[in-house]
């Protein structure tokens, strides 16, 4: 005798089982498993909206690293003298200098963290409010979430290099459009000093600065980032702060991480 036909719920559970085994939330499920949920208290409620939705951002010439246009917003002070020649010197300037791009938005600073030749360099736009308290970028609430994200593909955040375009935070939580060229130039130099094998850009601020595209467009494919004659695998995805506010972005973010694992140079 043929058994009873499976119910609609049973059929859906079967179709979604591999997502559940991977630990990925399906926001349509009856009992989701939030693989990106951070433990204990939620991160700071200070809002940081997605960058560049309704503002003008200078388009970058990726081959030359220059600017084609600048928005009429107050720019960061110019950099005086040559850029630091070593990663240690750059860290020192990011901590103390006032004339380096991204250092003049506020008093508190959240610095990059990691060592040279890391397998993965993760780049954000600017620190969150709780990062400023911790003193390190991508360390507090977003850092815990990022750690869970990377752990899902077998990458340990402790062995990665974390950085942001700015080490201080604008009052609006959004980087001024007029500063994007200088911030991108400094980050390209930063990447050259770190010499990572792979790059992960978080959010539209980072993807617009280095790829001249918002994250929704930049994440559609992998990129080869040309750095000092070498090619670095680059993937863009949503910022952890966006995932906390928009759970529907978690599935695309999981797909981006799988692409990083597949296309990256490990």
């Amino acid at each position: 005798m043929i058994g009873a036909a499976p119910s609609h719920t049973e059929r859906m559970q079967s179709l979604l089982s591999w997502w559940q085994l991977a630990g990925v939330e399906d926001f349509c499920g009856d009992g989701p498993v939030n693989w990106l949920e951070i433990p204990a208290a939620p991160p700071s409620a200070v809002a940081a909206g997605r960058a560049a939705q309704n503002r003008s951002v200078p388009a970058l010439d990726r081959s030359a690293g220059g600017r084609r246009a600048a928005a009429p917003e107050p720019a960061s002070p110019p950099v005086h003298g040559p850029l630091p020649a070593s990663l240690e010197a750059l860290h020192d300037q990011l901590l103390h200098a006032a004339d380096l791009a991204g250092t003049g938005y506020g008093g508190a600073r959240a610095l990059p963290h990691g060592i040279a030749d890391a397998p993965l360099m993760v780049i954000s736009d600017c620190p969150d409010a709780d990062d400023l308290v911790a003193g390190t970028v991508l360390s507090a609430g977003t850092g815990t979430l990022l750690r869970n994200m990377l752990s899902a593909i077998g990458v340990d955040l402790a062995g990665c290099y974390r950085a942001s375009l700015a080490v201080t935070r604008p009052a609006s939580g959004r980087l001024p459009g007029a500063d994007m060229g200088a911030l991108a130039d400094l980050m390209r130099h930063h990447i050259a000093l770190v010499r990572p094998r792979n790059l992960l850009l978080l959010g539209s601020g980072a993807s617009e600065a280095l790829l001249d595209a918002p994250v929704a467009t930049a994440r559609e494919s992998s990129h080869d980032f040309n750095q000092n004659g070498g090619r670095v695998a680059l993937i863009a995805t949503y910022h952890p702060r966006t995932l906390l506010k928009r759970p529907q972005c978690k599935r695309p973010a999981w797909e981006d991480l799988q692409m990083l694992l597949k296309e990256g140079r490990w």
Side-chain angles (χ1 to χ4, degrees), residues 4-248:
S7 67
H8 175 73
T9 299
E10 290 171 337
R11 288 196 297 267
M12 290 301 297
Q13 287 288 352
S14 177
L15 289 173
L16 297 174
S17 61
W18 72 280
W19 283 105
Q20 295 167 346
L21 288 173
V24 180
E25 173 186 345
D26 189 287
F27 64 93
C28 293
D30 294 329
V33 177
N34 189 349
W35 65 283
L36 291 177
E37 184 178 15
I38 62 175
S44 171
V46 177
R50 284 172 35 174
Q53 289 246 328
N54 297 306
R55 62 182 173 87
S56 174
V57 176
L60 302 179
D61 181 351
R62 290 195 293 274
S63 62
R67 272 182 293 175
R68 293 198 294 268
E73 300 179 26
S76 290
V79 177
H80 301 292
L83 290 172
S86 69
L87 190 57
E88 293 76 11
L90 177 60
H91 283 188
D92 184 70
Q93 285 208 21
L94 289 173
L95 176 61
H96 297 107
D99 59 354
L100 207 60
T103 61
Y105 300 127
R109 304 188 183 195
L111 300 177
H113 177 76
I115 60 174
D117 300 307
L120 177 66
M121 181 174 180
V122 185
I123 301 172
S124 178
D125 51 356
C126 63
D128 288 327
D130 46 4
D131 288 331
L132 296 176
V133 175
T136 306
V137 70
L138 295 169
S139 61
T142 52
T144 302
L145 184 52
L146 179 63
R147 183 178 298 106
N148 292 344
M149 291 167 62
L150 294 178
S151 179
I153 60 168
V155 176
D156 185 4
L157 179 60
C160 301
Y161 188 97
R162 292 169 275 171
S164 56
L165 296 173
V167 296
T168 55
R169 178 178 173 83
S172 66
R174 295 166 55 174
L175 298 173
D179 290 357
M180 295 301 280
L183 292 168
D185 289 344
L186 180 60
M187 181 52 67
R188 288 178 182 276
H189 181 71
H190 199 158
I191 295 170
L193 295 178
V194 176
R195 303 183 303 275
R197 296 197 295 275
N198 302 285
L199 290 169
L200 179 64
L201 306 185
L202 301 179
S204 282
S207 64
E208 283 169 349
L210 296 175
L211 293 176
D212 192 19
V215 66
T217 301
R219 60 166 298 273
E220 292 177 354
S221 62
S222 61
H223 307 267
D224 282 325
F225 187 83
N226 191 343
Q227 182 63 51
N228 290 343
R231 303 184 74 82
V232 178
L234 184 153
I235 298 292
T237 192
Y238 296 107
H239 198 286
R241 72 171 75 102
T242 299
L243 301 181
L244 288 168
K245 293 186 292 185
R246 301 184 179 182
Q248 65 270 27

